[in-house]
Amino acid sequence: ASPSASPSTLPSSGPSRTPTDLPSPVPESPRIFAGHPAFTEVLNVGYVEGAKANITMMSHTKSGMSIMTVVPNDVTQDATFGVSFRTPISDNRGLATITEHAIQAGSKTYPVKDPINQLQAGSLQTHLETWSESDRTSFTFASRNLKDFENSMAVMLDGIFFPLLGEADHEWIYRQEGWRLEIEDETSRLYISGNAYNRARASQMFPEEALDDFVHDRLFKEHTYGYNPRGLWNEILSGVREHMIEFYNSWYHPSNGRVFCYGAPEYVNACLDSVDEAVTRMLKDQANKTAETDGVSALEELGVSLPQDSKVGFKMLNTTNSVEERVPYPSFEETDDFRLAISWVLNDEAMSQRHEVAWYLIYEMLIGSATATIAKELETLGDDYIAKLNTDLQQWTMTMGVSGLPTEASAGEARTKIVNKLAEISQNGFDREAMAAALNKVEFKLRDLNSCDGSPQGVVMFKKVLRKWNYDLDPTLALNLMDEFQLLRTQLEDPDNVEGMEFILELMTKGLSDNTAQAIATIYPSAEMQSNVERNEIIWLNDSDQYWDKATGLEIMRETAELHRIQQQGDSAMDIATIPRLSPFDLPKEAFEIPTTIKEGVFDSDLTMLENLVPESNNIAYVDFTIDISNMAFKDTILLPLICRLLAEAGTERKSDVEIRQHIDLYTGGLTVEPLVEEVYEFQEDNGYKVDSGKHMITKILIRTSCFAEKGCAELFNLIKTLIYDSVIDERDKVINILQDIVDDLEDDIQQHGHVFTTRRIESRYTLPGFIREQWFGITQLYKARAALLEAEDDTKWDALGTRLLVAHDAIKRTHHSGLLLSITGDEKAISDLGGAVHMFVKDMLPASAQRTPFPDFGKVEHPWVINGNLAMNKEMENEDPFTAFLTPTLVNDVGRGGFLYQPGEHISGAHMAAVQYIGGFFLNEKIRFNLGASQAWAQLDLDSGVVIYQSEETPSIYSTLEIFRDATGWVQRQLDGHENLPVEAQAAIIGMVGKMDGSALQPNRVGHVALLQYLKQDTKEGRQAWRDEALKATKEDFMFFANRLAGWGGESLSAITNQGLLDQAHLKMENRTMTSCHLTGFKCPESTEAV
């Protein structure tokens, strides 16, 4: 083992020191933070190569609060603030999550109902996130504007240290964030609501959540990790407000917290100033309260000693026995999709860096991809593999298994295969090719500073360091794994050195094969799970007199009534005025622009290349490549999601599917292939955006990938060429497997992310590109993929389907090089290192154009799909009800409403976008998220189509949500009435809209993609600037014009993901117009057996 093999523990106090195994900071660097008088420097780490940043560990002198400051090499990245508290839970009442949200329901300085959202809707924040885990609760945000950063810190810290959740006149907060009893007006039916309750009900219907709950409950019995921070609905109902207050008072103390300050030195200083001010004020407030209670502090009264009492110990592996059970998951119907999953707890002491790296490698080699050893072993049994490595807590867990099993008996066979394969590997070792691919994947994981979900780099780092910091370990251990990785890699790649492989196999055998801390789940589909939960809730209500007396019940109803009064009353103008705001003068005059160099005719070819230079990419090059597919017949475009999967996974005549996917793992940081359709922007003479005619669009296949630039990347470009031109896409078994996978994935996605699909469904009714996107990525794709699967399995129909695939693939290969676009992104060295591979790709790898005629400019010429596409779209719209609800096993609703406001050729002003931000950020968020208890709600205006969509996620009532949607116009008019100028919140919405336009400092893995879209859509710097200027100049008249236009929007459509019972409740109140219901188990909506 290397010197870093054992975890380092952070000292709680003591003089500054610099570890001998880390490089010292470079004194002349202007990006090194110099310190702060209110903080005692504890551990001066200096420059951390793995983070590409200077890091200093500090302690707040007065409180002992731990502080980490990070000044990255790339100071253009979003400044980030994070704070986390150890909040161990001891039951499933959801106290961690309830308290997390209650903190955001008003504070002493900012006494509005939702100050965090009030600020966010009118700020330049690029990220805001709060979350609870079993042993900690965390808050973070990011911004690119210093004043906005300071405002956000002030509001967040005041909420954390001075919340109103415990005040006598704020009992309603618990009824809002926890649970409450409601009475339905029309029927006098008693029902349960509340944000935590609704979230718990919704999440228990997700298959992945059902598995996670089972694993942690069984493997961590009577331990913090065995409980759910979100809570279980029936245990949430046993909670009372006093539990929440005690939970807050026990854990939300500076001595129990960790603060993260990331950004340029001026942001770090602002962060430390704000923390010092808020903590000092809290300590003074607590000292005054202690003096009033005869010197007994709140913590002493609770019997809590911090930070000792918040520490979570390990669940010892030898105290946990193997458990095997049947676990239900909600399904559309009782089908043949059974699943088998085996989970292990991997450690009962702090992970060393060597062990961490080893487990990353073991995971990748066993189950990290479709080519991994266990995944290949299971591929003949089911449709897809199950894989998860949970590293967020101090005790890691690994899960592997298979989904899509035809019978429950197949689960036993899958288990036997896993156990036997693990034993075989323990004896014989791993395949060398699999190991090489895993090494490349892990190196990417360690070197790539970006996130896969678009979160700012500071947020990614904050989450990463908490995995060590929360347990009093040196947080930089989570950032500096490359040395340990390289040491282990050297040992594994040396055929004469057995030390590395022996270490890996010994660790795997101990952690998996010989480990009794394992949970085996046979997961079966249950069509009754939803109704069973609803039935149990009714039983609970009927038996409620066993849980409380009449006086308690009346008190709950009184607090609920007070909540309704608060909701209806709204915040006073005086309270709203307390929220710190930005003015247009605080914003930069010009929007951020990607520094892109456009190179046409690259190396004397017809190919165009975009070169995007970023300050720091760790010498990783990011590649986006598109191929024009406009010469494909429109009738075959529905097959494009299948074709793209086949291109990436099917293999070639020379290389099998396994070899191709191993090649991808070995030479890239991952590779995706997907279809792309985008409208081409149209502009007025003054550069203002116009609604396009629907005739001008681009259609591409998009390949996204990355590579280590110092290795040349020739293999990456050879892969791109191979996938496009050489893939065998008519291999029947592979087609069947991928179609089944598409169906399974869409069923799960619709259930968990219904709002995405309702939005796509609404967009599909108004423009051809929107229609095509829904065909590819929406509910229609589920229907069509299911129909295609039947064709592929039918001997009499397979030849026709296979022929269509070949014809479509031929159209892709016949593309002219003018339809190829390459976008490369990286730092200066990465771009330079990539040059040779790009030259080889263009000059030597790409076949000559089979199509003689270059593609026209589709911004000027009608796209070839327009005629047949519009015919298909009009036919479907004639058959479909614009008011449609899709039924799935869920306990909440995702509801959307849309309509068009603008005709083709009309100008969409940036001022109107600001009005949409006003409606979504203030009205819909308050009425639907705050009042109804939905997860979130928002409004959007599509610049391409002129369509406005109101959307809600996990709302308890369809009817109430639609009523709020329909009141949006009246609300805007009421807010503006009597004001000479825009009210404060409307002015804030303008700032919020500009913040969305300017966006986050794009991470290197997204820069090239955004630049590519701007180029394809023929967007212009002048157009973006004009739009931004219009938003900043928005007036009351602009907002009123938009509101009046909303009152007469055309082509109204409604879409919902719901269940039959919830839809029936809505229909009882929807007197004039109900929604057509469609099951997601068929082939079309309305029902039909029509094939692709």
Side-chain angles (χ1 to χ4, degrees), residues 17-19 22-25 43-48 53-57:
R17 65 182 179 88
T18 302
L22 293 173
S24 299
L43 177 64
N44 180 14
V45 176
Y47 188 76
V48 177
N54 283 285
I55 296 178
T56 303
M57 298 304 303

Side-chain angles (χ1 to χ4, degrees), residues 750-791:
I750 291 169
Q751 200 166 335
Q752 295 189 52
H753 310 290
H755 62 284
V756 174
F757 293 87
T758 53
T759 298
R760 287 175 181 156
R761 194 74 180 182
I762 291 170
E763 290 174 336
S764 72
R765 301 194 59 82
Y766 302 103
T767 67
L768 180 56
F771 175 75
I772 293 170
R773 277 189 288 268
E774 202 278 334
Q775 296 265 313
W776 289 345
F777 306 115
I779 292 171
T780 299
Q781 179 62 204
L782 172 62
Y783 290 141
K784 298 295 187 180
R786 191 178 283 127
L789 179 59
L790 287 184
E791 290 190 24

Side-chain angles (χ1 to χ4, degrees), residues 79 119 123-125 141 143-155 266-267 270 274 580-587:
L119 183 71
S123 84
L124 302 180
Q125 283 182 2
F141 70 83
S143 178
R144 302 170 69 188
N145 180 284
L146 182 57
K147 185 173 182 180
D148 185 60
F149 187 76
E150 292 170 334
N151 289 349
S152 299
M153 283 205 67
V155 173
E266 60 269 27
Y267 287 88
S274 296
R581 312 280 187 185
L582 296 178
S583 77
F585 300 104
D586 297 314
L587 277 60

